Amino acid sequence: MDSILAYLADNERRYVDDLFAYARIPSVSAQPKHAPDLKRCADWIADRCRAIGLTTEVHPTASYPIVVAKTPKHDKDKPTFLVYGHYDVQPPEPFELWDSPPFEPVQKGRDVFARGISDNKGQHLAHLNAVEAWLKSGQELPCNITFLIEGEEEVGSTALYDFLPKHKALLACNAVVISDNGIPTLKHPALTYALRGIAAMEVRIDGPSRDLHSGIYGGSIENPAMALCQLLGKLRDARGKITIPGFYDEVVKLTAYERRQLAKLPTKPNAYRKFLGVPELFGEKGFTADEQRTARPTLEINGLTSGYQGDGSKTIIPSWAKAKLTLRLVPNQTPKQIIAQVTRHLKKLCPPTVKLTVTPGHGGTPYLVSPTSQLAQGALRALEAGFGHEAILTREGGSIPIVSAFKKHLDADTLLLGMALPDDNPHSPNEKFSLDAYAAGMRMSAHLWPELSCAAFACDCGSDHC
Ligand code: BES
Ligand code: ZN
């Protein structure tokens, strides 16, 4: 292990240069104008994989390419682990809120600012660098490793959902490793054993056939924007508890053990409040902020559009109003069941004075894996070795829907080993990645392969390379 860690330290400067080069590519999957950049980005990461000696294929899809890269000389007597990542990034807008251009990475102290650098380029690059260190320092990896890097995670992974069942043999593995999530601080490396699911939908209210003079007609017909607000307002109480009948029926209760684990997170309510810039915290009664944001379901309005948005005033009754909603789900809720419940309830509540249309969007089931398995214990040891601090168990509120598809098609559990910090600003202006997290993530990954290999074979040799 010493020679691998030494290789990582010796190559630190080049690894930072690679991170800059990767982050410079504007691979925004939501925006069709960036299609050539996504292709270029897939080629960039595929070239990196080839440069370290991986057998690499770039699979074209109906949208953006999927990169599959494998360690050379597949050994069927060794376990295989699949590292998943995504090279696509969220849109950077609004540009004016960035302190530096989103695709011109800038280092300030130990942080590098760029769109997608934390979510998720830096995190899977750290694994690739660690595998390079194993291969180039002449050490024999105790396992086979397959990298699977897609370009559509931020828009629903459509191509990958199609690719997975058709390439089960190519992607077969004992477990999946994903670093596309966070840790509370560099001193609290964490194994995330649960993610929330998601159900997206659009709700549209149509009223008059055109925008109308609100003085001439106001009072005699319903206002679609008001009707939508009143409808949405009835879905939740003032503390955030959802009031849709049956909504909590499938929710699995937090165990006392889980509550003790979540209580170990270093969140301080007042600091949390200040960090998020809110006058006061909010949330379901009887739960801590960490429980509320990771282990309880929610209903959020992501976008609300209606009427006149320009300068000054325009006295109209808008013809229509629209809301984009997502619900975050917890075990054992499913997107299908939740979308049906919300739709049924909205239909029941909607007044006859307007027309309601509900359009379901993407969905993902919540994920929960045993935090006490041999693999999880191995991952905890690798986290401790890489970050130099005791590792904790945590749940997270974000969603990585493809994780459930890995379980379904590859019968593999996923270990979530995040490297992002709470102030990394994923999906927000001024996204950044900490070079200390990058370096610790590489060390963690270097330690991970022997740990997971021993765990996969239930080996108790106690060495770091059996
Ligand atoms: N990296 C995130 C997911 C994440 C973030 C998990 C923080 C845990 C903690 C991922 O790129 C993402 O943004 N996922 C989307 C999924 C959606 C587009 C289906 C999300 O959670 O909003
Ligand atoms: Zn994301």
Side-chain angles (χ1 to χ4, degrees):
M1 186 53 66
D2 288 351
S3 60
I4 297 162
L5 297 177
Y7 185 97
L8 287 176
D10 291 347
N11 286 275
E12 200 175 333
R13 189 62 244 167
R14 179 171 57 82
Y15 286 148
V16 173
D17 291 344
D18 284 345
L19 180 65
F20 271 61
Y22 200 17
R24 246 177 231 126
I25 308 174
S27 47
V28 185
S29 52
Q31 300 174 346
K33 68 174 181 193
H34 284 295
D37 298 316
L38 280 128
K39 170 86 186 40
R40 194 153 58 88
C41 203
D43 289 339
W44 188 94
I45 193 69
D47 285 346
R48 273 303 310 139
C49 292
R50 284 190 198 102
I52 71 165
L54 303 186
T55 311
T56 306
E57 295 164 357
V58 178
H59 294 263
T61 72
S63 43
Y64 305 127
I66 293 173
V67 178
V68 179
K70 289 173 166 279
T71 44
K73 295 191 250 52
H74 183 94
D75 182 342
K76 63 177 177 14
D77 294 327
K78 289 177 179 172
T80 301
F81 299 105
L82 182 90
V83 181
Y84 163 86
H86 61 94
Y87 63 80
D88 66 318
V89 306
Q90 284 276 324
E93 287 87 348
F95 288 101
E96 62 278 15
L97 295 186
W98 285 77
D99 295 334
S100 53
F103 296 108
E104 291 171 28
V106 166
Q107 182 172 348
K108 289 185 194 157
R110 293 295 288 160
D111 291 329
V112 181
F113 290 80
R115 167 56 87 228
I117 197 159
S118 171
D119 182 7
N120 160 257
K121 288 174 175 174
Q123 299 199 53
H124 62 263
L125 199 55
H127 285 290
L128 198 64
N129 296 340
V131 171
E132 172 185 327
W134 268 90
L135 297 174
K136 295 277 161 114
S137 57
Q139 302 292 314
E140 189 190 336
L141 269 165
C143 55
N144 309 297
I145 302 174
T146 305
F147 282 86
L148 170 66
I149 306 172
E150 66 149 322
E152 254 194 321
E153 194 273 347
E154 299 291 9
V155 290
S157 302
T158 317
L160 187 55
Y161 278 107
D162 182 52
F163 186 85
L164 261 187
K166 292 182 186 153
H167 294 84
K168 285 190 197 181
L170 180 72
L171 303 175
C173 59
N174 295 65
V176 180
V177 170
I178 302 183
S179 298
D180 188 20
N181 55 305
I183 48 173
T185 76
L186 285 170
K187 293 183 176 163
H188 297 82
L191 171 66
T192 296
Y193 67 93
L195 291 171
R196 288 195 289 191
I198 191 164
M201 59 206 303
E202 280 196 19
V203 181
R204 182 181 167 108
I205 295 286
D206 280 283
S209 57
R210 58 207 181 277
D211 290 354
L212 294 175
H213 192 297
S214 61
I216 299 175
Y217 300 104
S220 66
I221 57 163
E222 178 56 291
N223 179 311
M226 183 60 84
L228 180 63
C229 291
Q230 287 181 327
L231 265 185
L232 297 178
K234 284 181 189 142
L235 299 181
R236 216 193 67 176
D237 75 11
R239 290 289 300 264
K241 193 163 166 83
I242 289 139
T243 47
I244 301 167
F247 185 81
Y248 291 94
D249 286 0
E250 304 300 324
V251 171
V252 177
K253 271 197 174 155
L254 272 167
T255 62
Y257 172 74
E258 289 184 281
R259 297 191 92 161
R260 278 200 302 277
Q261 292 299 325
L262 284 172
K264 286 190 189 173
L265 292 175
T267 313
K268 304 264 176 304
N270 208 30
Y272 184 60
R273 178 185 67 73
K274 282 192 186 149
F275 168 59
L276 296 176
V278 289
E280 213 175 282
L281 289 176
F282 163 92
E284 246 185 306
K285 222 168 125 190
F287 297 95
T288 66
D290 284 317
E291 291 169 350
Q292 287 162 348
R293 64 176 193 87
T294 68
R296 297 295 294 166
T298 60
L299 185 152
E300 306 290 350
I301 300 174
N302 308 128
L304 204 51
T305 320
S306 183
Y308 178 65
Q309 312 281 332
D311 289 340
S313 135
K314 187 180 183 199
T315 49
I316 53 160
I317 296 171
S319 163
W320 56 269
K322 210 163 68 175
K324 288 180 189 284
L325 308 182
T326 48
L327 296 105
R328 294 286 167 168
L329 315 180
V330 301
N332 288 325
Q333 294 176 309
T334 65
K336 199 170 159 213
Q337 158 232 346
I338 292 299
I339 284 182
Q341 279 180 359
V342 179
T343 308
R344 207 179 312 127
H345 196 54
L346 283 171
K347 281 188 177 158
K348 202 178 109 199
L349 297 178
C350 184
T353 47
V354 287
K355 181 173 153 253
L356 167 76
T357 312
V358 180
T359 312
H362 60 83
T365 44
Y367 188 69
L368 183 75
V369 68
S370 163
T372 55
S373 70
Q374 289 290 323
L375 285 168
Q377 298 310 307
L380 285 170
R381 283 192 295 272
L383 283 163
E384 273 174 39
F387 285 80
H389 292 276
E390 192 192 339
I392 58 172
L393 288 169
T394 187
R395 299 173 70 128
E396 284 213 71
S399 309
I400 309 178
I402 202 70
V403 164
S404 303
F406 290 141
K407 183 70 189 168
K408 181 174 166 195
H409 298 296
L410 308 178
D411 192 26
D413 283 336
T414 294
L415 297 158
L416 292 149
L417 305 167
M419 301 172 198
L421 291 171
D423 60 353
D424 273 3
N425 294 322
H427 299 205
S428 300
N430 299 317
E431 178 172 352
K432 58 103 174 146
F433 190 47
S434 150
L435 293 180
D436 292 330
Y438 189 43
M442 287 185 227
R443 291 193 298 271
M444 177 273 288
S445 180
H447 285 278
L448 191 63
W449 311 117
E451 286 292 357
L452 294 189
S453 302
C454 285
F457 286 151
C459 160
D460 58 4
C461 71
S463 85
D464 66 356
H465 185 179
C466 68

